[in-house]
Amino acid sequence: MARPYLGDPKHTIEILKKYAFVFQKRYGQNFLIDPHVLEKIMKAAEIGKDDFVLEIGPGIGTLTQYLACAAKKVTAVEIDQALIPVLEDTLENFPNIEVIHGDILKIDLQKLVQEKNQGKPIKVVANLPYYITTPILMELLEKRIPTASMTVMVQKEVAKRMCAGPGSKEYGALSLAVQYYSKPSIAANVPPNCFMPRPKVGSAVIQLKVYEKPPVAPQDPELMFRIIRASFNQRRKTLANGLRNFAELSLRKGEIQDALEKCALPADIRGENLSLEQFVQLSDVISKVK
Ligand code: SAM
């Protein structure tokens, strides 16, 4: 197998020129041009020779080359037709890579994992196009696509929100959803000059270690997430107001007061101060009156 060479910006520029490639803003195309960052992603992803890796958006194949050298097999899904001939060229000497031309949001991922890895947990690695960060990560987590870990480049602000705990300004529904299914940690902060073209915002590599089973067990997880959405819907309001004004819940004032009391929560508490465990307790109490 060949060695990765595209991390060097000189080679990236050569390839882009050879194919007269035009960047598509709508696909969130910011290609990595820093070998140190690529090495940091690989270190965080902990890919071994038994691993099947799904890469979302290979671009010209820079990270894909590194993944191929470490993994058993890599499947890379790329939406931009113009990149398919480029990938055929740059990945030619990496025999364990399959490129699929398609939209990751439209692919049946359960089926893909079944067909390509006999349903065993895969590892997801990507420098994600930022416009699909939340939809794709939540799809993988909520549908419980067998995944051991996800190591992905995201906007720095989004990485902070995923890792945030109660009481911080970044804490919200995304933090709780991510932390219900996985253990997140930031592996590296990445400045705009590591990409071509440079994005307007800072980025971070985040690793989500996906739990086999969530660490908490609400009686009705769907209700708990509705309560969480209600709590953060109007950030400056109290939890009680947020719950009352949320059409999806239709709770009466008295029911909310009772539930807060049963959970030993002050009447004026705000959603942003509740831990995941406290949301579990609250939703279990509310599920009894629903
Ligand atoms: N992995 C490359 C790198 O690090 O240099 C490229 C990363 S770039 C941030 C995001 C890539 O995802 C682009 O190649 C873009 O065309 C592709 N992409 C965007 N939307 C996609 C989608 N819905 N499904 C699959 N690929 C997508």
Side-chain angles (χ1 to χ4, degrees), residues 226-244:
R226 260 190 289 153
I227 292 172
I228 289 173
R229 280 199 300 280
S231 311
F232 290 98
N233 203 28
Q234 298 166 293
R235 264 198 105 90
R236 262 160 288 142
K237 292 236 161 111
T238 61
L239 173 63
N241 273 333
L243 294 179
R244 204 166 59 238

Side-chain angles (χ1 to χ4, degrees), residues 12 21 24 26-33 38 41 55-64 76-81 83 87 100-107 125-132 153 194-196:
T12 301
F21 180 72
Q24 300 286 334
R26 69 190 156 125
Y27 290 147
Q29 290 175 339
N30 300 98
F31 297 167
L32 267 170
I33 49 161
L38 288 150
I41 297 175
E55 189 193 4
I56 299 160
I60 60 167
T62 310
L63 177 58
T64 331
V77 178
E78 174 56 59
I79 198 168
D80 188 353
Q81 170 63 54
L83 287 167
L87 289 164
I100 297 177
H101 174 222
D103 180 345
I104 193 72
L105 296 174
K106 295 198 179 133
I107 285 179
V125 185
N127 170 17
L128 283 177
Y130 293 160
Y131 78 105
I132 61 165
M153 180 85 71
C194 299
F195 301 88
M196 182 191 292

Side-chain angles (χ1 to χ4, degrees), residues 141-185:
L141 293 171
E142 283 174 350
K143 298 233 172 103
R144 307 217 60 109
I145 309 295
T147 310
S149 65
M150 306 182 200
T151 309
V152 289
M153 180 85 71
V154 300
Q155 282 183 39
K156 196 172 167 183
E157 287 315 307
V158 177
K160 280 192 196 158
R161 278 165 51 205
M162 289 182 186
C163 295
S168 66
K169 73 174 190 320
E170 289 91 4
Y171 186 58
L174 180 67
S175 328
L176 285 153
V178 165
Q179 291 166 33
Y180 175 72
Y181 294 107
S182 71
K183 188 171 165 40
S185 60

Side-chain angles (χ1 to χ4, degrees), residues 47-279:
I47 306 295
K49 278 289 168 207
D50 290 334
D51 288 324
F52 174 92
V53 176
L54 170 66
E55 189 193 4
I56 299 160
I60 60 167
T62 310
L63 177 58
T64 331
Q65 292 187 341
Y66 283 78
L67 292 169
C69 291
K72 181 168 79 180
K73 190 160 188 287
V74 182
T75 291
V77 178
E78 174 56 59
I79 198 168
D80 188 353
Q81 170 63 54
L83 287 167
I84 303 303
V86 182
L87 289 164
E88 275 165 17
D89 179 351
T90 60
L91 304 178
E92 190 188 4
N93 297 317
F94 297 83
N96 56 345
I97 300 174
E98 180 189 5
V99 174
I100 297 177
H101 174 222
D103 180 345
I104 193 72
L105 296 174
K106 295 198 179 133
I107 285 179
D108 183 340
L109 294 171
Q110 203 80 45
K111 197 165 142 213
L112 186 137
V113 176
Q114 192 56 46
E115 281 175 9
K116 310 271 179 209
N117 204 36
Q118 299 78 50
K120 290 186 298 225
I122 62 165
K123 289 186 177 170
V124 174
V125 185
N127 170 17
L128 283 177
Y130 293 160
Y131 78 105
I132 61 165
T133 302
T134 311
I136 187 61
L137 294 183
M138 290 322 296
E139 164 91 9
L140 286 157
L141 293 171
E142 283 174 350
K143 298 233 172 103
R144 307 217 60 109
I145 309 295
T147 310
S149 65
M150 306 182 200
T151 309
V152 289
M153 180 85 71
V154 300
Q155 282 183 39
K156 196 172 167 183
E157 287 315 307
V158 177
K160 280 192 196 158
R161 278 165 51 205
M162 289 182 186
C163 295
S168 66
K169 73 174 190 320
E170 289 91 4
Y171 186 58
L174 180 67
S175 328
L176 285 153
V178 165
Q179 291 166 33
Y180 175 72
Y181 294 107
S182 71
K183 188 171 165 40
S185 60
I186 293 181
N189 284 313
V190 184
N193 63 3
C194 299
F195 301 88
M196 182 191 292
R198 293 181 186 199
K200 287 201 180 70
V201 292
S203 306
V205 178
I206 189 162
Q207 199 206 27
L208 309 182
K209 287 208 166 168
V210 183
Y211 298 125
E212 276 177 36
K213 223 171 98 205
V216 291
Q219 282 161 22
D220 182 347
E222 203 267 324
L223 173 67
M224 181 182 77
F225 282 111
R226 260 190 289 153
I227 292 172
I228 289 173
R229 280 199 300 280
S231 311
F232 290 98
N233 203 28
Q234 298 166 293
R235 264 198 105 90
R236 262 160 288 142
K237 292 236 161 111
T238 61
L239 173 63
N241 273 333
L243 294 179
R244 204 166 59 238
N245 296 336
F246 202 62
E248 277 181 58
L249 279 168
S250 63
L251 283 167
R252 284 195 298 275
K253 194 174 173 183
E255 289 172 337
I256 297 169
Q257 277 170 349
D258 281 358
L260 292 180
E261 257 172 46
K262 282 201 181 113
C263 297
L265 293 170
D268 60 351
I269 193 161
R270 291 171 195 273
E272 66 224 48
N273 291 316
L274 260 65
S275 66
L276 178 59
E277 290 73 16
Q278 285 172 309
F279 274 112

